[in-house]
Amino acid sequence: MIHKDKIKHFLASSFLTALIYWLSQNLILAILVPLLFGLAKELYDQAKKKNTVSESIFDLGANILGIILGILVIYLVNLKL
């Protein structure tokens, strides 16, 4: 079963990717901002001992999958325009 936290990571990353692209029209920025934000969050969680290393890795994986979904949404919206 997928933990609710991973779904939140996935949805937040996909939303941020699409939103940042919509605002900036820059795909690299739209990928890097959610990726770096997710990485910073996991480093913070590690420093505060909120997550284990494996939990942080799975969170980052959910972030990456969310970014991929955001890219697909961008591609599909641009395809229709």
Side-chain angles (χ1 to χ4, degrees):
M1 185 171 153
I2 298 175
H3 194 272
K4 288 181 184 180
D5 180 58
K6 306 304 179 256
I7 295 170
K8 289 178 184 177
H9 280 269
F10 176 79
L11 293 175
S13 292
S14 60
F15 176 76
L16 279 175
T17 301
L19 178 66
I20 291 168
Y21 181 79
W22 181 68
L23 293 172
S24 70
Q25 297 296 305
N26 185 328
L27 186 60
I28 293 171
L29 187 65
I31 293 169
L32 285 179
V33 169
L35 187 62
L36 293 175
F37 184 75
L39 182 60
K41 164 91 170 63
E42 294 312 312
L43 290 173
Y44 173 80
D45 287 349
Q46 285 296 304
K48 295 293 184 179
K49 307 282 190 220
K50 291 184 175 185
N51 279 350
T52 65
V53 172
S54 64
E55 287 173 331
S56 290
I57 290 171
F58 283 117
D59 286 348
L60 286 172
N63 290 341
I64 291 168
L65 290 174
I67 291 168
I68 292 169
L69 175 65
I71 293 168
L72 288 173
V73 167
I74 291 164
Y75 175 75
L76 291 173
V77 167
N78 284 334
L79 193 64
K80 289 186 177 186
L81 297 177

